[in-house]
C-alpha cells in the first residue's frame, strides 16, 4: 500500500464550487505539505503543517484553506474554485531531521471549468 | 526566500549516452540540502539523489551523480548510460537545514531517444 495517498486522483468541477482534496499518510510523519504544480513553474507551496495545531501559509495560500484532522490526515479546500486553480496538486510528508526528503502522494489533477 | 533556477526547460539524449541537467540556487545560508526529484508520466515524484552542503564529496546513486559547486551555487545532475525509463521531468530542490520548507525549480523535461 502507498505511504501517502490522495483522493480524488482526478476531478473536474465548475467555477464557484467548493472542492476538498484529501491526503492521508501511514509514514508517521508530523510534517505535511500541499503544493500545486503548473507547467513551467515547478511546485509551489500552498500550506504546510508541523502538527495538528500548527498550520502555516505557504507562498500561494490565497483562495485555499486547509484542515489537519489528525497526524495522518491533511485536507486542502478550495472554497470557491476558479479556472486559474486548474493544476496538479500534491500532498507531501517529511520526517524529522534535516537530511530527510519529502515523500509525495500520487497527485490530484484538478480542472476548473 | 531561496530561489532555485533550472534554465533548461527541455533536453534530449540518445539512449546509452550521458546527459547533464543544470540547477543553480540563491542562498545566504551555509548549511543546507539539495535534492533531485524525477517525475515520470505517472506523475509520481521520486527522489533521485541528495547532497548535503557540508559534504565536499559529490553524491552518486548508480548511474546518477551530481556536480556540486558550493561557491558557484550550482548543483547539476549527470545521468550516465541513459535509459528509456529515464525520460521524465526532473526537479531540483533546496532545503535549508533550519527550516522545514523545500524550494523547487521549474523543472527540466528529459527526452530519451532510442
Amino acid at each position: 500500500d502507498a505511504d501517502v495517498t490522495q483522493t480524488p486522483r482526478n476531478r473536474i468541477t465548475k467555477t464557484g464550487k467548493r472542492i476538498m482534496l484529501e491526503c492521508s499518510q501511514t509514514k508517521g510523519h508530523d510534517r505535511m505539505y500541499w503544493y500545486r504544480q503548473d507547467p513551467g513553474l515547478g511546485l509551489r507551496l500552498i500550506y504546510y503543517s508541523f502538527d495538528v495545531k500548527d498550520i502555516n501559509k505557504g507562498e500561494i495560500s490565497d483562495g485555499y484553506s486547509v484542515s489537519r484532522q489528525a497526524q495522518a490526515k491533511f485536507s486542502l479546500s478550495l472554497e470557491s474554485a476558479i479556472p486559474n486553480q486548474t493544476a496538479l496538486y500534491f500532498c507531501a510528508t517529511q520526517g524529522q531531521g534535516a537530511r530527510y526528503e519529502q515523500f509525495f502522494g500520487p497527485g490530484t489533477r484538478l480542472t476548473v471549468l | 526566500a531561496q530561489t532555485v533556477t533550472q534554465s533548461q526547460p527541455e533536453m534530449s539524449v540518445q539512449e546509452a549516452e550521458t546527459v547533464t541537467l543544470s540547477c543553480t540556487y540563491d542562498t545566504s545560508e551555509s548549511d543546507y540540502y539539495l535534492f533531485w526529484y524525477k517525475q515520470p508520466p505517472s506523475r509520481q515524484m521520486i527522489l533521485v539523489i541528495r547532497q548535503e552542503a557540508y559534504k565536499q564529496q559529490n553524491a552518486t546513486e548508480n548511474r546518477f551523480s551530481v556536480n556540486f559547486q558550493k561557491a558557484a551555487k550550482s548543483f547539476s545532475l549527470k545521468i550516465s548510460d541513459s535509459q528509456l525509463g529515464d525520460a521524465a521531468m526532473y526537479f531540483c530542490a533546496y532545503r535549508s537545514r533550519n527550516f522545514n520548507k523545500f524550494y523547487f525549480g521549474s523543472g527540466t523535461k528529459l527526452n530519451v531517444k532510442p
Side-chain angles (χ1 to χ4, degrees):
Chain A
D1 288 340
D3 295 318
V4 185
T5 57
Q6 292 183 234
T7 55
R9 293 293 309 277
N10 298 283
R11 181 71 184 268
I12 300 173
T13 190
K14 294 182 179 179
T15 298
K17 294 291 186 181
R18 184 178 187 275
I19 295 296
M20 178 180 284
L21 308 183
E22 299 186 341
C23 177
S24 295
Q25 54 113 347
T26 58
K27 298 192 74 67
H29 291 164
D30 289 326
R31 296 166 173 77
M32 297 187 73
Y33 303 77
W34 276 104
Y35 294 92
R36 67 176 277 175
Q37 181 182 353
D38 299 277
L41 296 178
L43 279 74
R44 293 181 292 166
L45 183 63
I46 306 172
Y47 270 95
Y48 59 105
S49 170
F50 293 163
D51 65 38
V52 175
K53 296 181 180 180
D54 183 5
I55 293 178
N56 306 277
K57 291 182 178 180
E59 58 181 310
I60 55 163
S61 59
D62 288 348
Y64 302 94
S65 62
V66 291
S67 173
R68 185 81 183 265
Q69 301 94 325
Q71 187 210 34
K73 297 184 181 294
F74 192 36
S75 301
L76 176 72
S77 293
L78 289 66
E79 296 301 326
S80 180
I82 56 177
N84 76 0
Q85 292 177 314
T86 293
L88 183 57
Y89 290 84
F90 282 101
C91 173
T93 73
Q94 183 179 319
Q96 296 261 4
R99 73 182 302 273
Y100 290 121
E101 71 269 31
Q102 292 192 340
F103 295 87
F104 288 82
T108 295
R109 172 75 65 188
L110 176 66
T111 302
V112 183
L113 301 176
Chain B
Q2 281 72 17
T3 57
V4 179
T5 301
Q6 293 180 249
S7 59
Q8 305 151 317
E10 188 166 359
M11 295 187 71
S12 294
V13 64
Q14 206 71 32
E15 195 175 5
E17 294 188 345
T18 296
V19 65
T20 298
L21 309 183
S22 300
C23 174
T24 59
Y25 55 94
D26 183 25
T27 185
S28 58
E29 299 170 330
S30 60
D31 199 6
Y32 49 85
Y33 295 81
L34 298 164
F35 303 82
W36 278 99
Y37 279 87
K38 171 184 178 181
Q39 186 183 45
S42 66
R43 309 194 311 216
Q44 185 67 52
M45 294 284 286
I46 303 165
L47 179 69
V48 174
I49 200 166
R50 94 183 82 215
Q51 174 77 42
E52 291 94 336
Y54 65 86
K55 289 187 177 179
Q56 292 186 342
Q57 185 173 8
N58 289 323
T60 62
E61 289 285 347
N62 300 314
R63 297 182 296 106
F64 298 88
S65 61
V66 300
N67 183 6
F68 174 49
Q69 301 289 329
K70 191 172 184 179
K73 298 178 184 176
S74 171
F75 181 59
S76 60
L77 175 70
K78 185 171 83 171
I79 306 174
S80 303
D81 186 24
S82 297
Q83 301 176 358
L84 295 177
D86 295 333
M89 283 290 289
Y90 286 83
F91 292 97
C92 177
Y94 170 102
R95 183 205 161 166
S96 167
R97 179 177 178 82
N98 295 321
F99 296 94
N100 291 294
K101 291 195 291 185
F102 277 55
Y103 298 91
F104 288 86
S106 55
T108 296
K109 183 180 180 183
L110 179 65
N111 303 304
V112 181
K113 300 177 180 178

